[in-house]
Each structure stands twice: as structure tokens, then as C-alpha cells.
């Protein structure tokens, strides 16, 4: 099985986000780590296992989240 697919199946994006220091509220929202803002526009869908920032447009899955947070490629983040 492809490493990235396996990580996507096993990882919970909420736990990944919290591990990397994102302070999520009960609705799984927080300020975006990718741009400066005062109100929370960064949202995570646990059922879909994706994130989306409605301020800067960043979005993706847990692999993309780690890649963007650490400024590394997908294979390094897996």
C-alpha cells in the first residue's frame, strides 16, 4: 500500500492538528496558522478528514496540513 494512503487512513486530522499546536474550539475551528488574522477562519471537518481556511483559501487533508505547517513535502510529512 502507498505510504501516503496508509497514513491518511490511520491518522485523525483533529489529533494531528492538536499535536502540532493548533488550539481548536469545540466546533474544530481556530485562527489560521498560515496567515495573520484576529477571528477564526480555519475549520476542520472530522467526518471528511479535511481542513479549510476561509480567509486565505488553504485546504487539504492531514498530509497537506503537516506539509504546510512544517514546510516540507508530502512524503516527508507522512
Amino acid at each position: 500500500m502507498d505510504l501516503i494512503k496508509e497514513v491518511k487512513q490511520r491518522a485523525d486530522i483533529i489529533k494531528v492538528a492538536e499535536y502540532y499546536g493548533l488550539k481548536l474550539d469545540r466546533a474544530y475551528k481556530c485562527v489560521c496558522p498560515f496567515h495573520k488574522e484576529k477571528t477564526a477562519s480555519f475549520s476542520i471537518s472530522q467526518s471528511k478528514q479535511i481542513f479549510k481556511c476561509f480567509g486565505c483559501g488553504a485546504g487539504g487533508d492531514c498530509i497537506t496540513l503537516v506539509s504546510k505547517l512544517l514546510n516540507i513535502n508530502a512524503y516527508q510529512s507522512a
Side-chain angles (χ1 to χ4, degrees):
M1 177 181 272
D2 184 28
L3 176 64
I4 292 180
K5 286 182 183 179
E6 185 174 344
V7 170
K8 286 181 186 181
Q9 288 178 346
R10 292 183 181 203
D12 177 15
I13 195 165
I14 300 297
K15 290 180 181 176
V16 171
E18 290 173 340
Y19 178 82
Y20 284 100
L22 298 182
K23 306 289 188 215
L24 302 171
D25 65 13
R26 290 183 183 191
Y28 302 127
K29 294 182 180 180
C30 67
V31 294
C32 182
F34 308 122
H35 74 280
K36 294 196 182 274
E37 63 180 359
K38 294 181 181 179
T39 59
S41 64
F42 186 88
S43 180
I44 295 178
S45 170
Q46 189 171 33
S47 62
K48 295 179 183 177
Q49 291 292 300
I50 59 171
F51 72 93
K52 175 71 176 172
C53 176
F54 295 97
C56 69
D61 55 24
C62 63
I63 298 290
T64 308
L65 179 61
V66 174
S67 295
K68 290 181 72 62
L69 285 172
L70 301 180
N71 197 25
I72 57 177
N73 69 39
Y75 281 99
Q76 290 172 317
S77 66

